[in-house]
Amino acid sequence: MGQRARMLATVLMGLLCLGLLGRDEVSLPADGDAALPAGEKYVALTFDDGPKRGTTDRLLDGLKQKRATATFFLIGQQIAQAPDLVLRMEEEGHQIGNHTWSHQRLDSVTPEEALCEIRQTEEALTALLGEQTGPHWLRPPYGQVPLEAEAGVPMVKWSVDPRDWESRDVKKVTQAVLECAEPNSIILFHDIYSTSVDAALAVVDALQKEGYWFVTVEELLRINGVIPQAGTLYRTGNG
């Protein structure tokens, strides 16, 4: 989400809390035309391991068409392969996060090596997107975080994991998510697999019919009144 949209969203959400706006009057536009009415059901789609041409771009097409936003945790060494897709994520209102430089398990390296993995990706994102977009939140590979206090940014795990990387089965992955998803879920996908893209877009269709709205992790926490803290690992929108 762009800075202007973030500021507008914050102001309008504050007015809602004060009772100065009615629900029907509220539309909080993101750069991707997302609307965030109060009192609805929200979930956050998250995508790891990209960007990758042929899958990430198709996913962005689908999310734009469905007016859904998501959070992308990028592997640093892949950013140079598709910088235009990263720029597009930012322009279309998605949240961009750090998934380390080489997808290294942070609990299997020294603290210095772990911080280098994080720092390299942060520098690549800053060089491409500008300093105003950071610092970028971290999703530690495999969800393993031995250095929470040293991370320096909020960290994001997940509450729904359909293991899309394992089955590569659209129907199975879609069903796994729909069986577990509930308001404030953070859902894990990997946008480097075509089957995962198909499943994610099917999930959007199904949950939108049930009245769900798809927002970024940052938005999900804000909607729930959670103030993100550096070094804290978040698994749901409730904290």
Side-chain angles (χ1 to χ4, degrees):
M1 178 183 292
Q3 185 176 11
R4 180 192 63 80
R6 288 195 188 97
M7 291 176 63
L8 179 58
T10 300
V11 170
L12 290 176
M13 288 298 286
L15 291 174
L16 264 176
C17 294
L18 293 172
L20 299 179
L21 286 177
R23 176 176 161 185
D24 293 338
E25 298 172 312
V26 177
S27 178
L28 307 186
D31 292 348
D33 296 322
L36 307 178
E40 298 291 347
K41 298 184 287 188
Y42 296 97
V43 292
L45 286 180
T46 64
F47 297 92
D48 288 6
D49 297 357
K52 181 183 177 184
R53 294 197 183 281
T55 52
T56 303
D57 45 355
R58 188 163 64 84
L59 174 62
L60 289 171
D61 290 342
L63 293 175
K64 183 176 182 179
Q65 181 183 34
K66 300 173 191 301
R67 295 194 173 187
T69 52
T71 302
F72 291 84
F73 292 98
L74 307 181
I75 293 178
Q77 62 186 7
Q78 295 180 194
I79 292 172
Q81 301 175 21
D84 55 311
L85 295 182
V86 182
L87 289 168
R88 181 180 171 188
M89 291 171 191
E90 173 70 14
E91 291 167 357
E92 295 181 0
H94 303 290
Q95 183 178 355
I96 297 172
N98 185 329
H99 200 38
T100 75
W101 184 255
S102 62
H103 205 266
Q104 180 68 256
R105 284 184 67 110
L106 299 183
D107 61 345
S108 65
V109 297
T110 67
E112 293 77 16
E113 290 171 327
L115 291 174
C116 183
E117 282 276 327
I118 298 168
R119 190 179 303 114
Q120 280 185 280
T121 299
E122 179 64 25
E123 290 173 352
L125 288 172
T126 299
L128 178 62
L129 300 173
E131 293 184 1
Q132 74 280 0
T133 65
H136 299 86
W137 295 12
L138 173 69
R139 169 164 282 164
Y142 310 100
Q144 300 302 315
V145 188
L147 300 169
E148 291 191 15
E150 286 83 2
V153 293
M155 296 177 293
V156 182
K157 199 171 181 182
W158 53 82
S159 56
V160 178
D161 178 6
R163 299 180 71 84
D164 57 318
W165 56 271
E166 183 176 55
S167 70
R168 314 275 183 94
D169 184 302
V170 175
K171 184 176 180 180
K172 183 180 294 185
V173 171
T174 302
Q175 188 62 35
V177 173
L178 296 181
E179 288 176 354
C180 298
E182 59 185 13
N184 297 318
S185 291
I186 295 177
I187 304 168
L188 172 64
F189 281 105
H190 298 79
D191 55 311
I192 60 173
Y193 303 115
S194 180
T195 49
S196 296
V197 171
D198 291 339
L201 296 177
V203 164
V204 173
D205 286 338
L207 290 183
Q208 282 183 336
K209 290 178 181 178
E210 296 181 17
Y212 279 86
W213 295 79
F214 290 84
V215 296
T216 68
V217 174
E218 183 178 9
E219 290 169 333
L220 189 64
L221 292 176
R222 186 177 68 232
I223 288 166
N224 283 281
V226 178
I227 300 174
Q229 301 295 321
T232 299
L233 183 65
Y234 297 96
R235 293 177 173 83
T236 72
N238 297 318

